[in-house]
Amino acid sequence: RHPWLVCEGDILLTDGQLRQRLVEAGVTPEFTWGPEGASLVCDKTTTVKVKDNRVVVEGELSETFFKVRKVLYSRFIML
């Protein structure tokens, strides 16, 4: 079962606090814009997207993936 990440207001990948927390966790985030919309590419291996008001983390199961997931889980309420 996948947890739901809930926040108050819109989920913004350009949020400076999110970027700062990722950097503090040892991750290098890059904001990109492609055919599927905005995404945050972390260490060139893990991608964070917002689809239908849901946060999606994609990538190989690596140290970066789990760091990114931990930062996201700390920023939102999981249901």
Side-chain angles (χ1 to χ4, degrees):
R1 178 174 173 238
H2 299 286
W4 286 76
L5 300 177
V6 179
C7 74
E8 185 176 326
D10 292 332
I11 300 168
L12 300 175
L13 296 178
T14 56
D15 177 17
Q17 289 181 1
L18 175 59
R19 181 179 169 79
Q20 181 62 34
R21 290 208 180 161
L22 287 168
V23 169
E24 289 170 0
V27 175
T28 304
E30 280 183 51
F31 181 77
T32 63
W33 187 266
E36 295 182 15
S39 62
L40 198 60
V41 179
C42 301
D43 291 344
K44 300 181 181 180
T45 61
T46 305
T47 304
V48 180
K49 301 177 184 180
V50 177
K51 293 181 180 178
D52 301 322
N53 255 0
R54 293 176 62 191
V55 177
V56 178
V57 182
E58 299 175 337
E60 61 185 55
L61 298 180
S62 64
E63 184 177 351
T64 297
F65 179 91
F66 290 106
K67 284 181 182 180
V68 169
R69 188 177 77 168
K70 183 176 181 179
V71 168
L72 289 170
Y73 283 8
S74 73
R75 297 273 300 147
F76 304 107
I77 298 170
M78 290 185 295
L79 298 178

